[in-house]
């Protein structure tokens, strides 16, 4: 009994596909399947990754994700893709994907990339990538990318989840919109003055 229940939540699909039924109100680990008979080619399709993302923002970068939210047919398949655009000096700030390992290929330009190992140690594993170079960011680890080239940089990243999730460290720590983490927590945690914490909370 428990076995069928447990396996139902394994990442390996138990049928050809399980196109997400975005209209269903059923709550499962993932999304419920739409009736296979009414599945259409567009359920497995997305168009637009040839288009550069708009990098005119504070970070000078833009991620265009293509996961189960864009392609319902990715549901249960454990894979997704994204396009990353960077203006010169643009940064994809420290973040983690709680549910997916990422493999990235640089199509154009140069990126300084890195991830940090868990406690204890917190080693930075970093490298400069050029056109055609591939780098892996293991699941859950904090990582970043920065354009160190003279022009725009473009990369494609594949992730081992249809819904890898993103936690951007600065936003998660300083920018919770509903209620802030108490400054007493943040001043001690980051060894900062209260006014610096408040400044950061304003920013994020
Ligand atoms: C890019 O974003 C900026 C800032 O939001 C905006 O002013 C600009 O019109 C956008 N450019 C394009 C091509 O969409």
């Amino acid at each position: 009994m428990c076995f069928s229940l447990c396996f139902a939540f394994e990442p390996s699909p138990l049928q050809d596909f399980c196109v997400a039924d975005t209209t269903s109100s059923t709550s499962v680990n993932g999304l419920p399947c739409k009736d296979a008979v009414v599945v259409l080619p567009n359920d497995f399709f997305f168009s637009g990754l040839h288009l550069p993302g708009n990098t005119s923002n504070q970070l000078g970068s833009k991620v265009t994700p293509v996961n189960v939210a864009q392609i319902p047919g990715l549901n249960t398949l454990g894979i997704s893709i994204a396009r990353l655009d960077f203006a010169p000096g643009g940064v994809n700030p420290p973040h983690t994907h709680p549910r997916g390992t990422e493999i990235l290929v640089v199509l154009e330009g140069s990126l300084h990339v890195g991830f940090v190992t868990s406690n204890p140690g917190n080693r930075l594993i970093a490298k400069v990538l050029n056109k055609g170079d591939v780098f892996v960011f293991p699941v859950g680890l904090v990582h970043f990318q920065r354009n160190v080239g003279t022009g725009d940089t473009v990369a494609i990243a594949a992730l081992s989840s249809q819904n890898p999730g993103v936690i951007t460290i600065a936003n998660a720590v300083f920018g919770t919109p509903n209620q802030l983490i108490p400054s007493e927590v943040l001043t001690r945690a980051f060894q900062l003055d209260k006014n610096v914490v408040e400044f950061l909370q304003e920013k994020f």
Side-chain angles (χ1 to χ4, degrees):
M1 193 64 192
C2 174
F3 269 178
S4 63
L5 205 69
C6 298
F7 284 131
F9 296 103
E10 279 293 299
S12 345
L14 302 174
Q15 61 277 303
D16 280 354
F17 50 74
C18 168
V19 173
D21 179 359
T22 48
T23 64
S24 170
S25 57
T26 310
S27 199
V28 294
N29 184 21
L31 294 161
C33 314
K34 150 175 172 177
D35 185 348
V37 173
V38 299
V39 160
L40 297 169
N42 276 353
D43 288 323
F44 301 91
F45 175 78
F46 174 89
S47 180
L49 278 200
H50 60 301
L51 301 171
N54 187 344
T55 58
S56 299
N57 53 55
Q58 293 282 61
L59 296 168
S61 75
K62 179 72 181 180
V63 178
T64 307
V66 184
N67 55 46
V68 72
Q70 288 75 32
I71 303 184
L74 280 177
N75 193 34
T76 74
L77 296 183
I79 195 167
S80 59
I81 197 167
R83 173 178 172 135
L84 289 75
D85 287 277
F86 301 85
V91 165
N92 189 7
H95 65 281
T96 91
H97 304 292
R99 294 177 291 277
T101 289
E102 172 175 343
I103 184 165
L104 173 146
V105 56
V106 175
L107 298 184
E108 208 60 69
S110 299
L111 280 184
H112 186 200
V113 304
F115 65 81
V116 178
T117 65
S118 304
N119 305 352
N122 296 139
R123 282 185 64 214
L124 173 63
I125 310 289
K127 197 165 169 66
V128 173
L129 309 180
N130 296 302
K131 184 171 179 166
D133 292 350
V134 175
F135 200 78
V136 174
F137 306 94
V139 58
L141 299 187
V142 174
H143 59 281
F144 65 86
Q145 294 110 13
R146 176 171 181 268
N147 182 2
V148 290
T150 50
D152 290 345
T153 287
V154 183
I156 295 287
L159 294 113
S160 61
S161 170
Q162 68 271 15
N163 184 21
V166 189
I167 300 170
T168 304
I169 307 305
N171 302 62
V173 171
F174 295 106
T176 45
N178 58 325
Q179 190 183 349
L180 294 170
I181 296 178
S183 59
E184 293 82 355
V185 172
L186 298 176
T187 50
R188 279 250 169 149
F190 291 93
Q191 300 286 296
L192 294 172
D193 283 347
K194 193 165 188 284
N195 55 358
V196 178
V197 166
E198 281 165 4
F199 172 81
L200 290 169
Q201 286 174 329
E202 290 269 308
K203 274 236 175 263
F204 292 100

